[in-house]
């Protein structure tokens, strides 16, 4: 199932503040991607590289990839430990 939506997150140019656009990106692992971005302000002309890393799980997947391990966010991890302790008591 695919959902089309507009990305509302914007990366500002660190120099002029105009929105930067992604020119190309490459997934290096299932949780890490690198992209080349450029400022939309033609008078600025800045280009740079960004790294995007998925670091934690907020809600577990119903179809998990067995090769990917993402730790639970600390609050969720604490809750799971507490519930396990109660269940084993």
């Amino acid at each position: 199932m695919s959902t089309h939506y507009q990305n509302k997150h914007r990366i500002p140019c660190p120099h002029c503040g105009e929105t930067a656009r992604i020119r190309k990106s490459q997934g290096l692992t299932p949780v890490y991607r690198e992209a080349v971005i450029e400022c939309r302000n033609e008078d600025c002309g800045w280009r740079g590289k960004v790294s995007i890393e998925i670091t934690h799980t907020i809600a577990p997947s119903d179809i998990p990839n067995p090769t990917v391990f993402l730790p639970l966010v600390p609050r969720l991890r604490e809750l799971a430990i507490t519930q396990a302790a109660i269940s084993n008591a």
Side-chain angles (χ1 to χ4, degrees):
M1 182 169 145
S2 177
T3 303
H4 178 73
Y5 61 94
Q6 286 188 341
N7 183 358
K8 296 183 182 190
H9 300 286
R10 303 284 185 238
I11 300 172
C13 171
H15 297 283
C16 74
E18 180 70 37
T19 301
R21 69 175 151 233
I22 295 174
R23 296 306 298 165
K24 67 177 184 173
S25 73
Q26 178 180 13
L28 301 177
T29 74
V31 297
Y32 183 78
R33 182 168 212 86
E34 290 183 344
V36 172
I37 63 173
E38 69 181 15
C39 181
R40 290 180 184 259
N41 179 351
E42 292 179 10
D43 293 331
C44 178
W46 178 82
R47 291 181 64 175
K49 191 173 189 178
V50 298
S51 300
I52 302 167
E53 180 181 14
I54 301 169
T55 60
H56 288 83
T57 294
I58 294 174
S61 172
D62 289 335
I63 49 171
N65 180 341
T67 66
V68 173
F69 173 76
L70 288 167
L72 296 172
V73 291
R75 171 100 171 90
L76 204 58
R77 186 180 70 235
E78 291 167 11
L79 183 61
I81 291 169
T82 301
Q83 287 179 346
I86 293 170
S87 296
N88 292 331

